[in-house]
Amino acid sequence: MKLLTNSYLKLALLVLALTFAYSCKPGKMGSSVDADAAKKVYVPPGKYDEVYAFLSGGFSGQVSVYGIPSGRLLKVLPVFSQNPENGYGYSEETKPMLNTSHGFVPWDDAHHPELSKTNGEDDGRWLFINANNTPRIARINLVTFKTEEILELPNIGGNHASPFCTENTEYLVGNTRFSEPLDNSKKDVPISSYKDNFKGAVSFIKVDKDNGAMSLAFQLIVPPFDYDLAHAGKGPSHDWIFFTCYNTEEAHTLLEVNASQHDKDFVMAVNWKKAEELIKEGKGTKIPARYAHNVYHESTHTATSTMETETQTLDVTKFPGLVYYMPCPKSPHGIDVTPDGEYMAASGKLAAIIPVFSFKKMLNAIDKKQYEGMVDGDLPVLKYEDVLHGEVKNPGLGPLHTEFDGKGYAYSTMFVSSEVVKWRIDNLQIVDRIPVYYSPGHLSIVGGDSKKPYGKYLLALNKITKDRYLPTGPELAQACQLIDITGNKMKLLLDFPTIGEPHYAQMIPADKIVKNQIRFYKLEDNKNPYVTKAEKDAKVTRNGNRVDVYMTAIRSHLTPDNIEGIKLGDEVYVHVTNLEQDWDVPHGFAIKGNNNAELLIMPGETCTLKWIPGETGIVPFYCTDFCSALHQEMQGYFRVSPANSNVPLKFSFGENLATE
Ligand code: K7E
Ligand code: CUA
C-alpha cells in the first residue's frame, strides 16, 4: 500500500516508538528533587496556600481546585458532568445546566480553564472552560465557585481551541477541531466531499464586563482545517488572535498519516477588531442555528435553558485583511503569546524546533503584501522567513505548550522526551531543562499566559505516571509536578495526582480570590419559588399525582419528618431549604431507592429532588452530610400507599401525625 511506504508514516512510527521508550523507562526518581523541597511546599496546618490552581478534569468534565504549593485538593467543581456529590445535574434546579440542542448531555471532556482578564492580567472574577465533545463554554463564578452559565456553540465539532480570552475579556474565542458541512440544506453529504462541503467556524463569545453574561456574537467561516489551540494577543497585538491548525491537507481519513504530509501547517492570525467592526457595520449574515444557553440564577438557585435560533457569520474569504496564515512546522499544537504581546511561540508536535513568530514582522509582511501563496484562493499565506523571530533549536522531542515567567524566559513542555525546557525569548537560547515523569501536556505558571506573570511556580501536567505512585490497577492517576522557577535552575518540588486528565491549569495568587468570598448567605435573599423560610411554613401539597414537599433543614432535624398519603403513581418533588446562613453548613438529603441522586443544599438555599416511588411501604430519608453531633438523628419516613388507597396526605414533625 502506497501510504505505508510514506516517509511521514515512518516518522510518525519513530515518534511513537520514542514515546514508548521514554515513557516506559523506570524513573530516575529523586535525582532532581531540591534539597529544601519539603520546606518549600510545606503549608503548616491551618495556614492557607499562596496560590489557587484550577485544573481541567479532561474526560471527567469538571474542574478541580488545588492549593499551591502544598498540592492539596480543595474542591471539585461540577461543570459539564452530573455530580453525585452535590446533586449538580440531578436536582431539578440544576438539570437545565446540562441541556443542549441534542437534549440532556450529562458529561463532557473539558480541556482549557481560562481566567478572566482585565488589562491582560488575571482578575479573579470568572473561570471559563470548554466542553470539547458537545461544543460548549462554561463560566464559573469565583465568588461562589459555582458554574453559572453554559453556552453551546453551533456549527462546530470539537470545541478544542477554546476558550481563550482577549486582553479585557471582551471576547472568548473557540474554534472547531472537526470541520463540518455548515449549509443547512447540505448536511447529509458523503464524507469524501470534505474539501467541497466542509467548513470551519471560529466563534466569538461576547462577555458582559459587569456580570460575565456570555452571548455568541458572531462566527467566522474559515477553511476546513483542524484548528487546535489559540491565544489572543496583548499590548501591541491586542487586536489579534492566533490559532494553530493541522490537517491543512484537508484529509478526512487516517489523519495520523494523511494530515502529516505537509512540511508546514499554519498559524492563523485573525484580526478580531476588524471582524467586530464588520459585524457592527452589518456585514454579517444571519443563519439559523440551534444552540442552548443555560443560566444559573443565584437568587433562585435555579437554572434556565433557552434554545437560541440564530447566529451571525462572516465568510473570511470575502473580507480581505481579516485572516492571514503563517507557515508553521509541523502539525502545530500550542500557540502562546509572550507577556509583552510581541512574540508567538508555536509548538509543532512533529517538529524538531520551536518557531517563534514576531508580531512586528507579521505586520510588516502584511504591509509588504509579499505572500507565499493563498489558501482557498483569497487568504494570504505570509512567508515563514518574513514573520519568524527565530527558532529554538534542539528543544527536545514533541514540543507542545509554552508559558512565561515575566523575566524574559519561556518554558516549554516536551511530550515525547518528557521534560520542561527553559529558553530565553530574546536570543532563543536554551538555558535549562528538567525531566518530568512522564509525557507532559500543558504546563502552567502562575499568571503565565498573562501580561504580568507572577511566576515562582510551574506545574507540569503529566499524562503518564507509571511507577510514580502505588499501583491502582490498570488506571493510574495522571499527575502534576510542581517546579520552583525562582532561580536559574528549575527545581522539582512535589508530585501530586489529579482528578481526570488535567490538560491545562491556570494559577492565580490566592488573595485575588479570597477577598471576594462570602461568609453569610441570607435566607431573605432566597427567591426560589419553592423556598420554605421557616419551619412553621413547611407543608405537603397535592395537585393530581404531583406531590410537593416543602421541607426545611437545620441542625439537627428535617421538617416535616413523617409524611403519609403518598401513593404509587405519584411524582414527588421534595424542595429542601437549608435554614442555615453561615457558610460551611450544608445539609444533605437522600431517599431510599430513589433512582436520581442525593442533594447537598448550601446555606440559605433551596434544592429540589424528584422521586417517583416504585413500591408501597415505608421509605426512609435522611441528611447525608455530617452536620452536627446529632446529624445521625436527622431523618424521617415517607409512607407510600397503593394508588387507590384513601390514606390522606398528612405530615408532621415532633408529634403524632395531624391531618392537614
Ligand atoms: Cu495540549 Cu486539549 Cu490543550 Cu491536552 S491539549 S495536552
Ligand atoms: Cu444535616 Cu446532617
Side-chain angles (χ1 to χ4, degrees), residues 555 586-588 623-628 631 634:
R555 284 162 292 179
H587 290 287
C623 166
T624 50
D625 183 307
F626 205 109
C627 50
S628 77
H631 150 80
M634 204 165 170

Side-chain angles (χ1 to χ4, degrees), residues 433-450:
R433 51 177 79 230
I434 189 170
V436 292
Y437 306 95
Y438 306 91
S439 302
H442 282 261
L443 52 74
S444 173
I445 292 173
V446 190
D449 74 339
S450 75

Side-chain angles (χ1 to χ4, degrees), residues 111-112 132 160 229 333 400-401 441-442 463 501 503-504:
H111 284 218
H112 302 121
N132 199 7
H160 191 254
L229 270 182
H333 185 53
L400 287 190
H401 297 283
H442 282 261
K463 305 285 184 198
E501 181 182 5
H503 285 262
Y504 182 43

Side-chain angles (χ1 to χ4, degrees), residues 15-268:
V15 167
L16 269 181
L18 283 167
T19 311
F20 187 77
Y22 274 90
S23 46
C24 296
K25 237 195 297 192
K28 297 164 284 182
M29 186 206 88
S31 54
S32 58
V33 177
D34 184 29
D36 11 283
K39 225 163 82 192
K40 285 182 177 159
V41 301
Y42 183 67
V43 178
K47 292 280 184 264
Y48 287 169
D49 276 286
E50 180 182 354
V51 163
Y52 280 99
F54 296 96
L55 274 62
S56 71
F59 41 71
S60 90
Q62 318 291 49
V63 166
S64 45
V65 187
Y66 285 81
I68 299 296
S70 72
R72 296 182 293 197
L73 173 64
L74 304 176
K75 192 161 180 53
V76 174
L77 310 179
V79 185
F80 294 115
S81 300
Q82 283 180 307
N83 196 42
E85 186 190 23
N86 65 354
Y88 174 87
Y90 292 102
S91 72
E92 295 306 296
E93 282 81 3
T94 55
K95 272 182 194 167
M97 289 305 281
L98 301 178
N99 193 36
T100 74
S101 63
H102 311 275
F104 185 72
V105 178
W107 59 276
D108 216 300
D109 176 25
H111 284 218
H112 302 121
E114 175 86 343
L115 289 159
S116 55
K117 292 185 172 59
T118 303
N119 297 323
E121 285 182 63
D122 298 326
D123 59 22
R125 303 174 77 194
W126 305 297
L127 182 79
F128 303 94
I129 188 163
N130 63 326
N132 199 7
N133 180 53
T134 302
R136 288 170 282 175
I137 291 178
R139 178 174 55 84
I140 296 160
N141 184 336
L142 292 180
V143 174
T144 57
F145 282 65
K146 283 184 191 166
T147 303
E148 271 192 346
E149 194 175 7
I150 294 182
L151 180 67
E152 191 179 1
L153 300 176
N155 294 327
I156 67 169
N159 175 37
H160 191 254
S162 170
F164 295 95
C165 70
T166 54
E167 201 167 337
N168 290 294
T169 322
E170 295 96 336
Y171 292 98
L172 295 164
V173 70
N175 203 343
T176 196
R177 169 180 175 184
F178 300 95
S179 289
E180 289 180 357
L182 297 189
D183 185 343
N184 270 321
S185 60
K186 266 208 238 158
K187 294 225 160 174
D188 177 14
V189 294
I191 298 169
S192 58
S193 70
Y194 185 98
K195 288 187 189 193
D196 297 325
N197 289 326
F198 289 45
K199 284 287 174 201
V202 192
S203 306
F204 285 80
I205 295 95
K206 184 98 202 126
V207 179
D208 185 286
K209 65 179 186 327
D210 297 319
N211 60 20
M214 301 187 289
S215 54
L216 181 55
F218 57 92
Q219 293 185 302
L220 303 182
I221 306 305
V222 292
F225 305 150
D226 289 39
Y227 296 88
D228 201 16
L229 270 182
H231 260 104
K234 38 195 178 246
S237 53
H238 170 270
D239 295 356
W240 294 78
I241 293 185
F242 308 95
F243 298 90
T244 51
C245 37
Y246 61 101
N247 192 22
T248 52
E249 296 83 353
E250 303 186 3
H252 57 271
T253 181
L254 193 60
L255 261 60
E256 172 186 16
V257 173
N258 293 338
S260 305
Q261 303 291 319
H262 291 168
D263 197 40
K264 292 196 175 65
D265 291 288
F266 294 126
V267 167
M268 179 174 77

